Amino acid sequence: MLERCIGERRLRQIQRGVQNMKLTFLCLLLTLLVLRGTIGAGKYGTPQQDFIELRQRFISHPHRALAEQNQPEPKPKKSDKDDEPPLRSLNDPYSLGPKISDWDSQRADWIHRHPERPNFLTKTKPRVLLVTGSSPKPCENPVGDHYLLKSIKNKIDYCRVHNIEIFYNMALLDAEMAGFWAKLPLIRALLLAHPEVEFLWWMDSDAMFTDMAFELPWERYAPYNLVMHGWDEMVYKDKNWIGLNTGSFLLRNCQWSLDLLDAWAPMGPKGPVRTEAGKILTKTLKDRPVFEADDQSAMVYLLVTQKEKWANKVYLESAYYLHGYWGILVDRYEEMIENYHPGLGDHRWPLVTHFVGCKPCGKFGDYPVERCLKQMDRAFNFGDNQILQMYGFTHKSLASRRVRRVRNETSNPLEVKDELGLLHPDFKAVQHHAS
Amino acid sequence: MGHEGVGFKSGSTRSGLPTTRSRVPRGRQIQKTFNNVKITVLCGFVTLLVLRGTIGVGNLTGSTLESEDQRVVEDIDRILREIRTDSEPEPQDPLSSLYFANSTAHNWTYAEAVEAVNYSLGPKISDWDQQRQVWLSQNPNFPNRLLGKHRILLVTGSPPNPCDNAIGDHYLLKSTKNKIDYCRLHGIEIVYNMAHLDKELAGYWAKLPLIRKLMLSHPEIEWIWWMDSDAFFTDMAFELPLEKYKNHNLIIHGYPDLLFEQHSWIALNTGSFLFRNCQWSLDLLDAWAPMGPKGIVRELAGKILTANLKGRPAFEADDQSALIYLLTSQQDKWMSKVYVENSYYLHGFWAGLVDKYEEMIEQNHPGLGDERWPFVTHFVGCKPCGSYGDYPVERCLNSMERAFNFGDNQVLRLYGFAHKGLVSPKIKRVQDQTSDPLQVKEKLDMAARITM
């Protein structure tokens, strides 16, 4: 009927038009639906935003620039591979160096010949060398080096006040003992090269001094050769892998220590040795996760399996925080400032706050980056305040890098004593005859 | 017309016999193709929109691991931004309130500005030598000599914020290790400063209040040795010849002819110098400080310095130019106690030294301290911590690495190691281990030639 009204040709034209319209409408509807679902929420914006995002991704990012500057000279990958030592097999024993059996007498002779470098600074205070270190390459994390710098400043301050020498290591002495095991060849080399040092104090780079006034109780350690933070029951009874901590410990310079290092080292060499050793450690020690052998677990294992040989010269210190796990300390600093004072070294005012698991130099630690960095700032300022008060200043708050004056200048500066007595403390005094 | 109708019908209803297709004319075909293309494009567009809405553009170009990376990097960037907003605000010019009071008419002169600001490092002390003597006699446990040598305190520092350029912090760390090594070998204490003690004397002037504060707090220290953070020790065996300076109170590297004849702004270098802890030094600091306060004083002082010192560009007063101007304009008062040292590199400008390290290793040995084996290599103008230095970044960083390793080799030799090359962080053993290490130690001479 419609045909007769309009005409066949016309009808077909209209039909065609309707088909087109149908198609157009369908597509428009779809488009609207999609747009409503996405752009409608307001989250994903205009093509300009896309452009900006793309540009940010591909054009130089400060992090990328750092990675480029990582290698000032292009190093062909091949030579790197040549440097890698072949992996040690399980039946090829590792040695830290030629066996020495008379170190005590060698050392005594040397000290006798060199009275200008005695191993004891006063009757009770030994000569101590604090050893720490980090990689010679820039950190992957762009702020990592800044926190390493603050950490070493913190150690410089404590050691200046307490008359302790520092060795900052940036060299990998033995490629087989890379990672956490690198401290063993280093410690041995330092003990042998510095007979005048009585105690070597290893301290991780992620550990900070938070009690500048606390002097270690050296007399307590006279009968011992190795002092670590830990608990006897947790090590010898529980065999717990965190029963002690090798992030901050004292090792006497003597034959016993060389023997201990030799007994400690075998689980360290990279490769199948370390992996297999890791399995033994996980099996023997309580709560230890599955991963390659680390120096701390190996120490627990050594003490547990060879207790009669070593335990009588090992002191597990828990009366103060020779190592203090940061997680339970950092939120309490304000409380400590209100209720206590420096010089206690324990839970009331920790000697050391150790940022285990934070790994500020790498990109991924076990904890959120922000919490780690913010708390490291607080710990640094907490310790730094005790140094600044010597000179009449303090940080504006534990989170702030800025300082304010708390003591006015005077024309009689020597009559003013700093509150904590850290300018000229007893533990820094030299014996009169030594001058 | 009839053809048209037939073609259309067969296309849309799909009931057309295959044979009819071959009879479809070109025009129709093109139009159909065009329609198809339109539809394809439309569908493609819709698909893109949907994908964009769900997956997001960025992630289309990367894997999930990279996106996690990206998130960590974003976190760190955000933290860096937060840290930077905690930095010191620009110190307010103490005279700014006066400008508005005496607005347009007044043109401040330097002398007027200094008087108006009335800056002082601290209350005037006139009897420091006596105060110090009394204290030393009352405190024999803190003598000013150890093993016969006068006690030295090395002072250095850097700003409390992370460097604008991350590699800058890495070289600050290496520079600090380098200083720790030299000072351990020579029995020198270190103070590393990261605090702004005086807001007015910020920047390169910050060393003045710091030096004064340390002198007054540590009477047992005989010499305060300021050293810039961009200066490296490259001669670990060299000992300062302190006996030479018995009658002097300021030891500074420079050239007398540049100083007295040419009044050159680089006649002396305040990147590495020693101040004796005494009244004379306090007086010099008081005379040095007036050009320092930030703002109008420093600007006007800068103009005076540029006018009077040869070669000085126009910029605000810096501590080095101010000291040169002070010592040359008040020669009679100060110069008798100033030792202008150039027999060794108490400060050694890096550009002329870093390329010669290999030659030095071959021909000379540590302990000389001069052009044959420089005591200090000072990276003036490199500014690795900031964003803009005066030299190409690559050259600076490469050279700093070389200087660091050159010095580090002299430390590592105590343990039987050396760097594989002056640019390499990797080390190699150069002396075998022995069961008689102390025999080796006895024979070790820090000033002996280095073998690499």
Side-chain angles (χ1 to χ4, degrees), chain B residues 85-356:
Chain B
T85 55
D86 179 45
S87 59
E88 293 286 353
E90 270 296 302
Q92 216 191 9
D93 185 340
L95 294 182
S96 57
S97 55
L98 294 171
Y99 298 156
F100 295 114
N102 293 341
S103 49
T104 50
H106 200 106
N107 262 326
W108 288 89
T109 64
Y110 170 68
E112 284 171 332
V114 166
E115 204 185 305
V117 168
N118 200 18
Y119 176 80
S120 154
L121 280 170
K124 179 93 187 124
I125 299 177
S126 319
D127 60 342
W128 178 237
D129 290 334
Q130 292 92 293
Q131 284 193 39
R132 207 178 150 230
Q133 274 312 310
V134 167
W135 190 93
L136 284 171
S137 61
Q138 287 171 349
N139 291 275
N141 288 339
F142 287 91
N144 67 334
R145 277 181 195 273
L146 282 177
L147 291 174
K149 216 180 82 157
H150 269 144
R151 279 167 95 150
I152 305 175
L153 178 67
L154 186 111
V155 185
T156 185
S158 59
N161 295 329
C163 289
D164 285 338
N165 194 348
I167 197 77
D169 276 311
H170 181 70
Y171 282 98
L172 282 174
L173 184 68
K174 284 191 144 144
S175 164
T176 307
K177 168 188 156 64
N178 170 275
K179 292 178 174 83
I180 290 174
D181 286 331
Y182 181 85
C183 292
R184 183 184 62 251
L185 290 165
H186 295 264
I188 295 173
E189 290 179 56
I190 303 178
V191 165
Y192 194 101
N193 182 53
M194 272 180 162
H196 290 128
L197 299 188
D198 188 328
K199 291 176 195 31
E200 285 189 80
L201 252 56
Y204 17 63
W205 286 94
K207 59 180 78 112
L208 269 70
L210 178 63
I211 291 172
R212 184 180 200 267
K213 174 56 89 174
L214 289 170
M215 273 202 246
L216 298 180
S217 307
H218 294 285
E220 74 277 14
I221 294 292
E222 184 69 18
W223 291 100
I224 300 259
W225 183 355
W226 168 265
M227 198 156 154
D228 278 357
S229 59
D230 55 1
F232 285 77
F233 283 106
T234 34
D235 191 338
M236 292 293 174
F238 186 82
E239 180 85 20
L240 286 177
L242 290 179
E243 335 72 50
K244 249 167 79 169
Y245 311 132
K246 263 197 328 259
N247 300 316
H248 297 89
N249 296 332
L250 169 61
I251 321 303
I252 187 163
H253 186 273
Y255 301 97
D257 54 333
L258 281 181
L259 181 63
F260 300 117
E261 286 160 40
Q262 295 190 41
H263 293 222
S264 162
W265 81 296
I266 49 169
L268 302 175
N269 189 285
T270 53
S272 171
F273 60 88
L274 289 106
F275 255 119
R276 191 186 292 275
N277 191 353
C278 61
Q279 182 63 49
W280 183 96
S281 299
L282 293 179
D283 295 338
L284 181 66
L285 287 170
D286 282 337
W288 189 5
M291 286 193 166
K294 195 133 173 74
I296 191 83
V297 172
R298 214 187 272 191
E299 277 172 46
L300 292 173
K303 296 199 172 100
I304 297 176
L305 295 173
T306 305
N308 285 288
L309 298 179
K310 179 169 177 241
R312 187 181 196 273
F315 68 109
E316 56 175 22
D318 64 301
D319 61 310
Q320 183 172 296
S321 311
L323 183 66
I324 293 171
Y325 181 71
L326 175 65
L327 294 180
T328 49
S329 54
Q330 297 181 29
Q331 253 187 58
D332 303 325
K333 185 168 183 195
W334 304 107
M335 284 314 295
S336 61
K337 292 290 186 183
V338 177
Y339 196 109
V340 180
E341 177 66 86
N342 51 26
S343 66
Y344 62 90
Y345 279 128
L346 180 58
H347 139 84
F349 179 57
W350 67 284
L353 297 169
V354 292
D355 297 313
K356 304 204 186 110

Side-chain angles (χ1 to χ4, degrees), chain A residues 27 45 50 57 61 106 113 136 153 160 166 168 193-194 363 370 391 401 409 411 424 428, chain B residues 42 52 66 69 73 78 86 131 160-161 174 177 184 189-190 192 213 218 220 415 435 441-442:
Chain A
C27 292
D50 286 343
R57 230 188 135 58
H61 191 276
Q106 279 193 42
R113 284 198 305 275
K153 170 193 154 61
R160 182 180 67 254
I166 301 178
Y168 195 96
H194 294 287
K363 266 196 294 204
E370 184 152 6
Y391 306 114
R401 286 170 165 71
E409 299 288 320
S411 53
H424 303 101
K428 197 179 175 186
Chain B
L42 212 62
R52 187 160 154 278
E66 275 184 44
D69 236 26
V73 169
R78 184 172 41 81
D86 179 45
Q131 284 193 39
N161 295 329
K174 284 191 144 144
K177 168 188 156 64
R184 183 184 62 251
E189 290 179 56
I190 303 178
Y192 194 101
K213 174 56 89 174
H218 294 285
E220 74 277 14
Y415 312 104
S435 55
K441 186 177 165 80
E442 289 281 19

Side-chain angles (χ1 to χ4, degrees), chain A residues 361-378:
Chain A
C361 195
K363 266 196 294 204
F364 301 105
D366 306 331
Y367 302 94
V369 170
E370 184 152 6
R371 174 145 168 88
C372 274
L373 298 185
K374 284 213 158 111
Q375 296 307 327
M376 287 175 89
D377 276 333
R378 278 164 54 81

Side-chain angles (χ1 to χ4, degrees), chain A residues 12 16 23 27 31 34-35 38-39 44-47 50 53-54 57-58 61 63 66 69 72-73 75 80 83 96-100 103 106-107 110 113-114 116 129 134-138 141-143 145-150 152-153 156 160 165-168 170-173 188-190 192-196 363-364 369-370 373-374 380 388 391 393 399-403 409-414 423-425 428-430 432 434-435, chain B residues 5 8-9 28 39 42 46 49-50 52-53 57-58 61-62 66 68-70 72-73 76-80 82-83 86-89 123-125 128 131-132 135 140-143 145-147 153 158 160-162 165-167 169-170 172-174 176-177 180 184 189-192 194-197 199 212-214 216-220 393-394 397-398 404 411-412 414-415 417 420 423 425-427 433-438 441-442:
Chain A
R12 270 181 215 119
R16 216 188 311 149
L23 221 59
C27 292
T31 311
V34 167
L35 281 174
T38 60
I39 297 177
Y44 298 97
T46 60
D50 286 343
E53 202 179 26
L54 276 168
R57 230 188 135 58
F58 290 116
H61 191 276
H63 174 68
L66 173 64
Q69 273 160 353
E73 238 181 26
K75 286 189 202 129
D80 269 7
D83 294 336
L96 282 169
K99 180 96 187 118
I100 299 178
W103 179 237
Q106 279 193 42
R107 197 178 159 239
W110 194 93
R113 284 198 305 275
H114 294 267
E116 76 281 2
L129 179 68
S134 59
S135 165
K137 303 202 182 117
N141 181 342
V143 277
D145 279 305
H146 179 70
Y147 284 91
L148 285 173
L149 183 68
K150 286 177 91 158
I152 188 58
K153 170 193 154 61
I156 289 173
R160 182 180 67 254
E165 291 178 45
I166 301 178
F167 188 90
Y168 195 96
M170 273 180 162
L172 181 61
L173 300 189
R188 187 179 198 268
L190 289 170
L192 297 181
H194 294 287
E196 73 278 12
K363 266 196 294 204
F364 301 105
V369 170
E370 184 152 6
L373 298 185
K374 284 213 158 111
F380 173 84
L388 289 173
Y391 306 114
F393 288 85
S400 174
R401 286 170 165 71
R402 303 200 251 162
V403 302
E409 299 288 320
T410 147
S411 53
N412 284 312
L414 296 175
L423 279 173
H424 303 101
K428 197 179 175 186
V430 296
H432 196 43
S435 61
Chain B
F8 178 76
K9 247 204 213 136
R28 205 72 340 248
I39 291 168
L42 212 62
V46 168
L49 273 176
V50 169
R52 187 160 154 278
V57 165
T61 53
E66 275 184 44
E68 210 182 297
D69 236 26
Q70 178 70 5
V72 172
V73 169
I76 294 167
D77 282 344
R78 184 172 41 81
I79 294 165
L80 271 171
E82 275 175 34
I83 290 173
D86 179 45
S87 59
E88 293 286 353
K124 179 93 187 124
I125 299 177
W128 178 237
Q131 284 193 39
R132 207 178 150 230
W135 190 93
N141 288 339
F142 287 91
R145 277 181 195 273
L146 282 177
L147 291 174
L153 178 67
S158 59
N161 295 329
N165 194 348
I167 197 77
D169 276 311
H170 181 70
L172 282 174
L173 184 68
K174 284 191 144 144
T176 307
K177 168 188 156 64
I180 290 174
R184 183 184 62 251
E189 290 179 56
I190 303 178
V191 165
Y192 194 101
M194 272 180 162
H196 290 128
L197 299 188
K199 291 176 195 31
R212 184 180 200 267
K213 174 56 89 174
L214 289 170
L216 298 180
S217 307
H218 294 285
E220 74 277 14
V393 172
E394 272 303 310
L397 297 181
N398 204 312
F404 171 81
V411 177
L412 288 173
L414 283 163
Y415 312 104
F417 287 90
K420 285 190 173 175
V423 188
K426 295 196 175 159
I427 57 168
Q433 290 183 294
T434 148
S435 55
D436 198 359
L438 293 178
K441 186 177 165 80
E442 289 281 19

Side-chain angles (χ1 to χ4, degrees), chain B residues 346-414:
Chain B
L346 180 58
H347 139 84
F349 179 57
W350 67 284
L353 297 169
V354 292
D355 297 313
K356 304 204 186 110
Y357 288 146
E358 280 86 358
E359 191 189 303
M360 294 174 192
I361 292 171
E362 221 170 296
Q363 299 173 1
N364 299 318
H365 59 86
L368 303 167
D370 52 25
E371 72 282 349
R372 296 169 294 172
W373 201 282
F375 182 36
V376 170
T377 302
H378 185 189
F379 288 86
V380 187
C382 270
K383 303 194 184 90
C385 191
S387 316
Y388 305 104
D390 306 330
Y391 302 92
V393 172
E394 272 303 310
R395 169 130 172 90
C396 273
L397 297 181
N398 204 312
S399 305
M400 289 174 88
E401 187 70 23
R402 282 165 57 80
F404 171 81
N405 289 339
F406 184 75
D408 199 32
N409 275 342
Q410 299 167 51
V411 177
L412 288 173
R413 78 172 349 179
L414 283 163

